[in-house]
Structures are given as structure tokens and as C-alpha cells.
Amino acid sequence: MAQNENFDLTRFLKNLTERPGVYQMLNNDGDIIYVGKAKNLKRRVSSYFNKNHQEIKTRAMVEQVARIEVTLTDTESEALILENTLIKRYKPRYNILFRDDKSYPYIFVSTTKKFPSLSYHRGAKRRVGRYFGPFPNASAVHQTLDSLQKIFPVRQCNESVFNHRSRPCLQYQIKRCTGPCVEGLVTKEEYDEDVQHTIAFLEGKSFELIDELADKMQHAAEELEFEKAGTYRDRISSLRAIQSQHLISQPGSQDSDVIAIERQLNQTCVSLMMYRGGNLWGSQNHFPKMDADSTEDEILAAFISQHYLDLPLPKVILLEHKLSDQASLADLLSQQGMGRVEIKQPANKVTKGLMSLAKTNAVSGLKQHITQKASQMDRVKALQEVLLLAHLPNHIECFDISHTQGNLTVASCVVFDEGVPNTHAYRKFNIEGIQPGDDYAAMRQVINRRYSRLKKENKPLPDLVLVDGGKGQLNQAIEVFKELDLESVPLTSVAKGEGRKAGLEILYTPENFEGIDLEADDIALHLVNHVRDEAHRFAITSHRSRRQKAQTHSRIEDIPGVGAKTRQKLLLHFGGIADVKNAAVSELQKVPGISQNIAQTIYDFFHGDV
């Protein structure tokens, strides 16, 4: 084992506490290679070193451990939360890693408004109202909103549109909204009834809702309000049609998630299907990063603990097979959530049907993933052959420049791993100190900044560097790589073809200044164009963001020693920056909190004395 000479493992294990907590294993470079939790730290950590492990992954990991750090927690539940926070932050080499979604989407009902609305929501829940979810993806939300709008015509427009309408919109004409924006088209009582029915549906109370609508239909028919009765009849029919699409079709169905796993060719798919109130809200496939010898038990336990860390928990999590620590994992989730969570296996016809569907989704998802990955790797291999590279260009970085008439220049760096964009690794660079519009100097600066830093920090270098442009941009990269002694890194420039048409690009390399002209249908060129276009898109987006920020920037923000609160007082007192600029020192002193010295600083700033 490659221990740090300053770390005494035997002494560390002897004095390790038996309390719950989290342990981090680090290698000689100080990188965290594994994060784990334990109810008893001493017993758990010692087990790695007190026996011979059969698993290749565990043996390889233990051999690299140079130091161990622990963090104590009061409970195992706190350890679970901390463990997954650290896994998401550091992405350790030997942990099973699932994609970290920033947030899942919800349906939001603005219950505080006179006429509430339905809307798609993602992010922090700052608005007052009801949130229903999470949904596995945006399309599931939009499909649900669309179905709801056909049954209960509650408005889905935003507040600014609603507050400024004088005539009903198209949604009213096609009977997807009752037109609360125009006085007299619908009463508040009628609209509130639709809102309550919508909420009942989202709460999974469709059986109770159908019974209520049936009573209303009967009452309307008895009162000879046949048009109203027909509306209720149509809504009941639509709700029953939705119910018939789901395997859970009984009153009082619990919120449940069904999780299935499929493994082929060292690839794994974990399929999640989310049911709320008996309705399928959608499904999502996950493809974890892990070692080939990870067990299904380990993968599912990692998925459950990572996935539910920041999400509302269902009442039931259904798995095909029992986990070794299933009971303790359910207890930890229950402590974290608002009620008891059960993790269990299919036991009847309904739950077995749900698991069978989830398993089918997992098999189909993995097949599609393997096919897509093979296609992507074909493009990577083709590019290797075209450029005569010694190694597969699995890690590609591409640069592009964007500016407006030479101003506010921004350079982008996009990263592709195995032919797929790795957006988390994207970087943007604000270019300063060059002649406006000098794209060569901009390219030289960004390449130098990027790779001098990677070299200084001893981080992995790309397998291929692409620059958007012709021989001039390529020459800048060649010179920088010579200065940094990185000439072994392959370089290629992508020059636009005649008429800037796609498919006519020419590739230049340090070894081939004549140019490589590929056919428009060449899959290697398809990959190059994909990478180049993504770099171009990211550069333009970053430049627009910088330009927008510059346009909204006020000179008053540049006054030294004047903070945000003082700026606000100045603008409130004078009404605008022009009046602040024209104010005398004595007038500036009249603003609460502004001393003579600050007033003089403000005056001097605008009149060129500093």
C-alpha cells in the first residue's frame, strides 16, 4: 500500500472512534479516491485493511490509500447526507457516480392569486403556492400540463400576459381556458372549482374526483342543465381514459418509485419509473460511472442514497431483489424525509407488473445507450485514422473567439469526452490586453492561459486540441505549445470551406499544411463539426452575456469606497446618475450617511481629479 510516510495507519485504526461518520480515502497526490459512511467508523474502515478482498476494485483502491480523513456525525442519517454531498462534490475515482441533476421539474399552482395558474417550475421554491412533483423530466411535465388543460381549463399563461389582456386569447377560443383575464367570461366560483379539481388530480385523487364529477353530472341533468352535464361527462371520460393507461388502477394507491437494473457489456442502466397517486408521472434512465466489478447491490444502494438526497421521498421504493442493507437504508431515508419509507420487492400481480415494465424500460434504455455509444466511438476512431493519431482522441478540447467589432472579446473552450459534450468541463475566458479584433492574439492568449495552468497544476492534457480557424490560428497554437514544451499534444485547425458551407471544411495540422479535405458525409468530419459548432455556440452565448452585463453596468459602481447601499441612497436622493454627476460636494453631503470625504471622492471621480 502506497502510504504517506507521515501517516501511521496502524495507530490511526487503533485510535479510530466507533461513532458514526464519514471517511475519505486519499492517495499520495492528495486526491480523494473514495468516500464512505459508517455506523461504526472503526469497524468499517478497519475492514478494508484486516482481510484479503476478492473484489478487484477494492484491492486496487486499498493499494492506493495514503491517508484517511474522517468526519464525525451524530447519526447515521447525517452521515448519509454528508457522504453523498462529498461524492457529488469530489466525484471520487472508486465511488459509483450517477449524473447530478441540478434540479427536477415540478408543476406549480399559484394559489395566492385571485385566478390561480398552472406552470412549469424548476429551481428554488421561492414563490408561494403548491408544488407537485418532482417529475423525471421536462417532457413529463409538459405532457401532464397538456392533459390537464384539455380536462380542466385552468389558465397556464404567466402573470405579465394575464394582467395586460383585454380580450381572451386563442386558448379560450379552443376551450383550453375559461378566460379569467376578461371580466364576465367565468365566475370566480366556477374557476375555483376547476382549480380544486386540478389539484385533486395532481394529488392522485382521481377516483374521488370521478365520484364527485358524477354527482355533479347527475345534479346538472336533474336541473335540466344538459350542456353542463355534458361537460362533466366528458371530463369523467377523459379521467377514466387516463386511469386505463396505468397499471395501478385502484383507489388509495401510494406514491411509489419502481427501480430496475440491467447490465450488458460492462454497461449498466438503472431505470426509474415514478408513480404518484396511481398515475405514471414519467420514467428516467441513469447510466452510472463505475468499475466493472461493482455489484448490483452496490449500484442500487448508491443510486437510492444519491438520488433521494434532495428530493421528496415516495412512500414505497420497489426493487426486484432485496438489498443486503435494505432495512437500514429505508430507516435512513425515513429519518431524512417526512414519513416512513418502505423499500420492498414485488409481492402481487400489480407490483410484479410494475417491475416488469421497469425492467423492460431498463433493457431498452441500455440497448439504445450501447448503440449510441458505439456510434459515437465510431466517429472518434474515424477521426483518429484521418489525423493519423497514435491514440484515440477520447478527450477533445476546442477553442473559438467571439466579439462585437473587436470589443468585449470572449474565448470559449468546450470539452468532448468519447465523442460526447462534457458541459461541466466547459470554460470561458475574457480576453484583455490585445488589439481590438485581433483574433490571432486572442487565440494565442486563451491557449496559453488554458495549458500553462493545466501544466502548472499537473492535470491531464487533452488527446486532441481543435481551434476554429485556418493556418493563422493553428500557428498561434503551435507557437504556444512550443513555448510550453507541449509539442506532443496533437493540434488541428478547422477552416470554413467555400461559402462557409457545412461539409466543405478543411482540416490543417502541424504536419499537414496542405489541408485534409474530407467528404461531407465522413463521420470524422461530422464529429469535428459537432465539436466546432458547440465551441462557436458557447463563445457567442458567453460574449452576449458579457455584452449584456456591460450594457447594464453603471459608472457609479466604479466609485472607490462607495458600496451598494450608498449607491442606492444617491440614486434615490438625486433621481439618476446624471444628477449625481452634476451635484456639488455640499449637495452630496445632504444624502444620509455620506461624509465630506466620501462626497469629495464622488465629486472627484466624475470630474477627473482622481
Side-chain angles (χ1 to χ4, degrees), residues 85-150:
T85 300
L86 293 173
I87 288 173
K88 290 182 177 182
R89 181 185 303 167
Y90 295 113
K91 298 178 173 55
R93 165 72 177 82
Y94 289 99
N95 282 99
I96 298 171
L97 303 176
F98 287 85
R99 183 169 63 91
D100 182 16
D101 290 288
K102 292 183 178 178
S103 64
Y104 282 83
Y106 289 76
I107 288 177
F108 174 68
V109 183
S110 58
T111 53
T112 58
K113 303 296 180 182
K114 181 180 179 181
F115 292 103
S117 67
L118 296 180
S119 61
Y120 173 96
H121 175 85
R122 188 191 290 271
K125 301 173 185 175
R126 296 192 179 94
R127 292 185 290 172
V128 178
R130 294 285 303 276
Y131 293 86
F132 296 92
F135 287 79
N137 49 54
S139 63
V141 176
H142 293 306
Q143 288 173 11
T144 303
L145 287 173
D146 186 59
S147 297
L148 282 170
Q149 201 173 40
K150 292 175 182 176

Side-chain angles (χ1 to χ4, degrees), residues 460-527:
L461 295 168
D463 300 314
L464 174 65
V465 174
L466 294 176
V467 294
D468 184 37
K471 299 176 183 177
Q473 282 83 355
L474 179 62
N475 277 326
Q476 300 302 316
I478 291 172
E479 290 177 12
V480 172
F481 275 28
K482 283 181 179 178
E483 294 170 4
L484 297 176
D485 195 23
L486 296 176
E487 294 174 89
S488 60
V489 178
L491 280 168
T492 300
S493 68
V494 189
K496 297 178 179 63
E498 184 180 350
R500 306 173 71 88
K501 293 181 180 178
L504 300 180
E505 292 82 1
I506 305 295
L507 308 183
Y508 296 100
T509 70
E511 297 79 23
N512 190 340
F513 257 66
E514 295 298 318
I516 303 170
D517 188 2
L518 300 176
E519 295 293 333
D521 60 354
D522 194 299
I523 60 174
L525 184 60
H526 291 173
L527 175 58

Side-chain angles (χ1 to χ4, degrees), residues 3-13:
Q3 277 192 40
N4 186 319
E5 59 182 16
N6 296 320
F7 180 72
D8 188 337
L9 176 63
T10 304
R11 185 175 180 181
F12 173 81
L13 294 176

